[in-house]
């Protein structure tokens, strides 16, 4: 006889004894790999949300800088003066107190160029405070001469900062947790 033929049912039993418990280990390893993948995907989703918020804040800051520059272009009589009423160049911490000193009457019929500039400045600062966390802005001139370009700086506290460093566009007087966008333009 060539060899004993093992009935099928005994062959299956022998195979089952040798692989006993290996399927449980495979399931546990698969669950472990799956859980690591799910945690990684959740982390990536959180990062995406964080960077989306940062992007939204920065886009809004650029829009606010452009908005005040357009208001200044519309009020060229005040913006082109050597001592322009639009110039509002203070440190981040000084801005709230300095805003209290700016008075702009609610002129309904006609406003002078200076009154309009002060109203623009107050409205702009209010919009910055509402739209951006800790939002404040400064307007400076490159030189004090008439016709000199302006530098508009929008500052805000970025909660979701990546590197906790002040951006390069910020003035040296700004706190380290403040981010800035600057716009240089000629009215």
């Amino acid at each position: 006889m060539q060899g004993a033929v093992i009935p099928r049912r005994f062959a299956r039993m022998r195979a089952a004894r040798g692989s006993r418990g290996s399927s449980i280990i495979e399931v546990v390893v698969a669950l472990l790999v799956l859980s690591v993948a799910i945690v990684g995907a959740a982390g990536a989703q959180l990062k995406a949300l964080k960077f989306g918020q940062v992007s939204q804040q920065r886009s809004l800051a650029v829009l606010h800088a452009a908005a005040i520059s357009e208001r200044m272009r519309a009020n060229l009589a005040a913006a082109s003066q050597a001592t322009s009423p639009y110039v509002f160049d203070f440190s981040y911490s000084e801005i709230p107190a300095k805003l209290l000193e700016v008075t702009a009457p609610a002129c309904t019929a006609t406003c002078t160029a200076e009154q309009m500039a002060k109203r623009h400045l107050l409205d702009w600062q209010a919009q910055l405070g509402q739209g951006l966390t800790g939002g404040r802005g400064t307007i400076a001139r490159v030189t004090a001469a008439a016709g000199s370009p302006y530098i508009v700086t929008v500052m805000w506290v970025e909660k979701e900062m990546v590197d906790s460093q002040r951006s390069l566009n910020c003035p040296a007087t700004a706190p380290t947790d403040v981010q800035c966008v600057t716009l240089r333009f000629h009215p």
Side-chain angles (χ1 to χ4, degrees), residues 22-47:
S22 65
S23 62
I24 292 176
I25 293 173
E26 290 172 355
V27 169
V28 169
V29 168
L31 286 175
L32 180 66
V33 169
L34 181 64
S35 65
V36 168
I38 289 172
V39 168
Q45 185 69 24
L46 287 175
K47 286 262 189 206

Side-chain angles (χ1 to χ4, degrees), residues 166 170-175:
R166 179 179 49 234
C170 287
T173 59

